[in-house]
Amino acid sequence: MSVALPSITGVRLTPILIADPPLLNLSGVHQPYTPRLIVEVLTSAGVIGLGETYGDAVYLERAAALSRELIGMSIGAVNAVAGLGRGADALLNDAPAASGLRGVLTTDKVRSSVVSAFEVAVFDALGRHLGVPVHTLLGGAVRDRVEYSGYLFYKWAEHPVEGASSDDWDAALDPAGIVAQARKFLAYGGFRSFKLKGGVLPPEQEIAAIRALAAEFPGAPLRLDPNGGWSMRTALQVAEELAGTIEYLEDPTAGLDDLAELHRRTAIPLATNMIVTCFDEIRPAFDRDAVQIVLSDHHFWGGLLATRDLAAICRTYGRGLSIHSNTHLGISLAAMTQVAATVPDLDYACDTHYPWQSEDVLTERFRFTDGCVAVPDAPGLGVDLDRAAMARLHERWKALPEYRNRDDVAAMRRADPAYRAPAAPKF
Ligand code: GKR
Ligand code: MG
């Protein structure tokens, strides 16, 4: 006898703006506010499932169109939800400026990022309905906590915009500032490994920062990620100088052939969240041995089931897997933690921007202990929505139409009107 599961009766899409510190990267600097989209899937049983994804205009438009197709679907039809809107793929030329940091953007990548939030919300609803955590629906947790790395950024003390959001972190523009930031991460959540967002300062300064971290935290795994901003020559130099000090280099150069050559010549492990961001991109990278660690991201890959598919492919081809992060709140952290808990061979601490976000739409913020998040065992994702907080952030979204897209180049231009997006490679 089959048991009927509740069906989807409605979908609420709430765009919000969240405060973001002035973090520097290859493209420019983070804006004072960044858009996110909160998804609520309403069901015939009364339970509501939560999801979160990018909130830039192109994602909002696609979410609005695809959400109509969810109505009437069973919350057990998770595969069908993840497959919504699949069709011809095309390059997206008018993508938000920050998309440069997630590699080539296509219409199907936008679709995947939208359905990932629907899929997570449906899993959340299913888990709440059945009284089991999402990790049980994914086959069961193989660990009770998930490790994250302390994600270090060069940053300014404040945004160059009057009345902008402020933060509790100091400026960090040299090795001493980066080490001080890492110490603060240690005090905040006991992080035991660190990633530095590079591609900001000339490479010798970033090498010096990594060396300063290695001296301060002997044995701690360290990574450096210039988002593809180095020439082959620079990448070779950094790889040679940091061999033995760094766990891996992340997207040191932008091209597949360069990455393959870099690995062949230096044997340094290379990770990516820019070159391999969808299933079609796996084979060329693995065939050339251009990538040794894939930084998965359920927002990129189309959900939690797709993340597990990717994990299986990486396992089969002897590649490492970890998790990438972009500015996000607690619903996304819950989803990342739920899926990470079920992947046996997750050998690297995952990335998260969460400590940089002072706001959330949850009733309770996640805490880190020894750099880890405890895997929630409550039904669904194990988190609850703070409607008043979400409403406040939505009001901000309505009040500040100038932040409809994340645009790190435009944000940098506010400090330096002559600033242009750097030509590749930057260094
Ligand atoms: O937020 O500045 C940033 C990061 O550079 C982010 O956009 C990247 O997607 O963190 C990401 C990465 O690992 O490349
Ligand atoms: Mg990266």
Side-chain angles (χ1 to χ4, degrees):
M1 188 186 77
S2 68
V3 180
L5 288 167
S7 57
I8 298 171
T9 53
V11 181
R12 279 200 286 255
L13 301 176
T14 310
I16 59 172
L17 275 185
I18 57 174
D20 208 10
L23 306 180
L24 297 158
N25 60 31
L26 178 84
S27 300
V29 63
H30 287 208
Q31 299 175 138
Y33 301 103
T34 210
R36 291 296 281 175
L37 174 65
I38 306 301
V39 173
E40 291 172 81
V41 163
L42 284 55
T43 67
S44 54
V47 291
I48 297 178
L50 304 175
E52 176 192 338
T53 191
Y54 291 88
D56 306 68
V58 72
Y59 298 93
L60 293 189
E61 280 162 31
R62 200 71 204 272
L66 284 177
S67 64
R68 291 190 274 276
E69 295 181 35
L70 283 171
I71 311 297
M73 290 174 82
S74 160
I75 59 169
V78 185
N79 284 324
V81 169
L84 276 180
R86 197 170 276 147
D89 198 9
L91 267 182
L92 213 59
N93 297 321
D94 58 349
S99 73
L101 299 177
R102 67 170 287 187
V104 177
L105 196 62
T106 68
T107 52
D108 198 61
K109 290 186 187 178
V110 170
R111 185 200 69 83
S112 296
S113 295
V114 167
V115 295
S116 75
F118 293 168
E119 190 236 40
V120 166
V122 166
F123 263 131
D124 186 32
L126 185 59
R128 285 171 196 263
H129 177 71
L130 299 174
V132 297
V134 168
H135 61 73
T136 298
L137 301 173
L138 295 172
V142 295
R143 57 180 65 81
D144 58 11
R145 52 192 210 152
V146 170
E147 187 176 0
Y148 289 88
S149 65
Y151 195 165
L152 311 177
F153 276 84
Y154 291 106
K155 84 175 276 291
W156 293 332
E158 54 193 31
H159 287 283
V161 181
E162 218 178 300
S165 58
S166 58
D167 63 78
D168 295 335
W169 301 79
D170 298 325
L173 294 163
D174 56 20
I178 290 297
V179 167
Q181 194 183 92
R183 273 198 227 107
K184 195 161 173 172
F185 263 88
L186 188 63
Y188 170 89
F191 293 90
R192 297 178 299 197
S193 75
F194 297 99
K195 159 169 165 170
L196 175 61
K197 174 56 57 177
V200 176
L201 300 178
E204 51 282 5
Q205 294 184 37
E206 297 186 352
I207 291 171
I210 291 290
R211 289 202 172 121
L213 287 169
E216 181 75 15
F217 305 101
L222 303 173
R223 305 103 182 240
L224 178 56
D225 172 17
N227 281 114
W230 296 335
S231 66
M232 182 62 183
R233 199 172 144 191
T234 301
L236 272 170
Q237 182 205 334
V238 178
E240 276 159 20
E241 293 206 32
L242 291 182
T245 306
I246 203 134
E247 182 181 36
Y248 56 67
L249 278 179
E250 186 173 325
D251 288 306
T253 63
L256 209 54
D257 291 335
D258 278 357
L259 290 178
E261 190 184 336
L262 182 64
H263 181 66
R264 190 173 50 73
R265 287 172 63 176
T266 66
I268 200 150
L270 302 178
T272 187
N273 60 272
M274 295 177 69
I275 292 281
V276 179
T277 62
C278 65
F279 289 95
D280 287 349
E281 292 171 347
I282 294 176
R283 193 165 172 183
F286 285 11
D287 281 355
R288 287 181 182 71
D289 201 13
V291 168
Q292 288 70 51
I293 299 126
V294 178
L295 303 174
S296 178
D297 180 327
H298 71 273
H299 309 87
F300 285 13
W301 290 79
L304 307 185
L305 291 174
T307 303
R308 285 186 50 86
D309 289 345
L310 172 65
I313 295 171
C314 288
R315 188 177 312 128
T316 307
Y317 285 89
R319 310 295 153 138
L321 185 85
S322 186
I323 291 192
H324 160 260
S325 141
N326 215 313
T327 304
H328 65 89
L329 295 182
I331 298 173
S332 282
L333 184 63
M336 289 151 73
T337 302
Q338 291 283 348
V339 70
T342 70
V343 175
D345 30 22
L346 196 72
D347 297 329
Y348 302 88
C350 306
D351 287 350
T352 178
H353 276 245
Y354 192 72
W356 290 110
Q357 266 46 74
S358 54
E359 300 173 320
D360 207 340
V361 293
L362 300 183
T363 51
E364 212 179 312
R365 269 186 80 80
F366 274 98
R367 287 175 199 283
F368 296 81
T369 306
D370 297 332
C372 298
V373 167
V375 178
D377 270 328
L381 290 173
V383 296
D384 291 308
L385 192 59
D386 177 341
R387 289 195 176 278
M390 182 171 74
R392 270 195 306 276
L393 301 185
H394 179 58
E395 286 307 312
R396 182 191 284 156
W397 181 86
K398 287 200 285 187
L400 299 174
E402 62 271 38
Y403 297 117
R404 284 293 179 265
N405 294 310
R406 175 171 159 186
D407 190 339
D408 300 354
V409 175
M412 187 57 111
R413 240 179 242 139
R414 289 193 188 104
D416 170 10
Y419 183 78
R420 288 186 188 288
K426 182 174 170 185
F427 294 109

